[in-house]
Amino acid sequence: MASTLRVEPVDASFGATVTGFRIADLDDATWRELHAAWLEYALLIFPEQFLKRPEQIAFAKRFGPLEFEMSAISNVKEDGTLRREKDNDDRIKILKGNMGWHADSTYMPIQAKGAVFSAEEVPTIGGQTGWADMRAAYDALDPAMRARVEGLNAHHSLHYSQSKLGHDTRQAKADGEYSGYGLHDGPVPLRPLVKTHPETGRKSLLIGRHAHNVPGMDTAESERFLAGLVAFACQRPRTYHHDWTPGDVVVWDNRCLLHQATPWDMTQRRIMWHSRIAGDPASESAIAA
């Protein structure tokens, strides 16, 4: 039977919009085609899917075991009231932290493989999600810089990245506003700045807001160096920002993309649902932790 899958690249070095099928009705043949497209484009966007919770979880599990099944990324409390931006509670601080370029779970012993993200309610102003292609960023480095980064590593910590925003992460685990996910104690993972994709073999930069303290550099030099890499990497045509419509679903490859939230009018409701795909310990484990 001929496939009905339609894959249209977006205006960037990566990413595509996929139409012509329903995720909830995904068969094995279409899944194989879809997975191949995911490895090629790293970001797939599915408009007007309106997945139910079990359907989103089932779709995410197609890509492998989950780090967690589903979590709300939202400024709406469980009782339906809005979190006030001026109160600046721990959830708001985490939401604002996510506006920095990052890859998921690099601060955990095993980095995430990817994520499925869906939109339930979106604001009228702001609230995009952006992604950045670290494969194309690596390819764009001049030979001298490419040779330099090949031999470097960085530590990754959510404590570090949130502290840059003035967030007291020790208190965050105690006041009940945030689950404390990622704010564990103990060794800080060390990861290479250049990552080889386990399925495609392509190299990419592994950087972002959680990365810090490059061994062999002092703190100030490390911060300048890593900030310079992010500034170089996260620019057009290596970035794409998605304007959400309720019902949209995306899946991205966390092994080669960074992503960020963008600001929105927090007097308006924004409810997004995140299912995180667990990394393979063979390829996503830290060098040391």
Side-chain angles (χ1 to χ4, degrees):
M1 184 173 68
S3 172
T4 60
L5 211 62
R6 293 190 294 275
V7 180
E8 296 289 338
V10 302
D11 183 21
S13 63
F14 69 107
T17 299
V18 182
T19 56
F21 83 112
R22 298 289 303 163
I23 289 175
D25 302 324
L26 183 61
D27 60 33
D28 289 343
T30 306
W31 158 248
R32 289 190 291 271
E33 191 177 353
L34 194 69
H35 188 261
W38 182 63
L39 292 179
E40 178 179 357
Y41 291 103
L43 169 70
L44 300 180
I45 303 158
F46 309 95
E48 299 181 346
Q49 291 286 335
F50 296 99
L51 293 183
K52 296 182 176 69
R53 180 187 177 101
E55 292 170 342
Q56 175 165 330
I57 293 170
F59 180 52
K61 285 181 175 179
R62 284 274 195 170
F63 294 86
L66 302 187
E67 191 171 316
F68 55 77
E69 287 191 343
M70 189 170 282
S71 177
I73 309 295
S74 177
N75 64 330
V76 181
K77 296 182 180 181
E78 290 184 5
D79 64 6
T81 61
L82 281 177
R83 296 184 182 279
R84 298 187 302 177
E85 186 173 7
K86 67 179 182 180
D87 290 343
N88 204 28
D89 67 21
D90 288 314
R91 290 283 187 92
I92 293 290
K93 289 172 182 173
I94 292 290
L95 288 173
K96 289 188 173 181
N98 286 339
M99 293 174 188
W101 289 108
H102 64 285
D104 284 336
S105 296
T106 58
Y107 46 78
M108 303 295 280
I110 300 172
Q111 178 183 339
K113 179 180 184 179
V116 174
F117 208 47
S118 65
E120 180 179 332
E121 293 187 49
V122 300
T124 60
I125 301 171
Q128 296 176 313
T129 301
W131 291 269
D133 185 355
M134 295 299 100
R135 306 168 303 181
Y138 173 83
D139 292 343
L141 293 173
D142 65 55
M145 180 59 79
R146 196 178 301 157
R148 185 182 185 193
V149 297
E150 285 276 4
L152 296 176
N153 306 305
H155 293 91
H156 288 251
S157 167
L158 186 59
H159 287 288
Y160 167 82
S161 51
Q162 287 299 117
S163 71
K164 298 289 285 183
L165 304 175
H167 187 186
D168 183 351
T169 52
R170 292 165 299 177
Q171 183 63 26
K173 294 192 289 183
D175 70 4
E177 284 296 337
Y178 180 64
S179 68
Y181 189 83
L183 297 178
H184 49 277
D185 298 320
V188 177
L190 182 69
R191 299 186 177 280
L193 291 190
V194 177
K195 180 174 180 58
T196 300
H197 196 287
E199 294 184 84
T200 68
R202 287 190 67 180
K203 290 185 175 182
S204 62
L205 293 176
L206 180 54
I207 51 178
R209 76 186 189 99
H210 305 311
H212 66 290
N213 285 7
V214 174
M217 297 184 186
D218 64 33
T219 300
E221 180 188 7
S222 175
E223 288 198 1
R224 286 194 302 270
F225 182 74
L226 291 171
L229 280 177
V230 170
F232 168 81
C234 299
Q235 57 181 298
R236 298 284 296 158
R238 296 183 291 272
T239 59
Y240 167 79
H241 284 79
H242 183 62
D243 290 307
W244 291 97
T245 299
D248 285 355
V249 175
V250 304
V251 58
W252 73 86
D253 192 333
N254 193 63
R255 300 167 294 183
C256 58
L257 300 183
L258 299 185
H259 61 282
Q260 64 170 181
T262 62
W264 77 93
D265 177 357
M266 285 193 175
T267 66
Q268 298 185 14
R269 295 162 61 92
R270 184 177 189 264
I271 303 176
M272 314 292 290
W273 294 99
H274 180 111
S275 302
R276 190 169 297 179
I277 306 158
D280 181 349
S283 58
E284 308 311 311
S285 293
I287 298 171

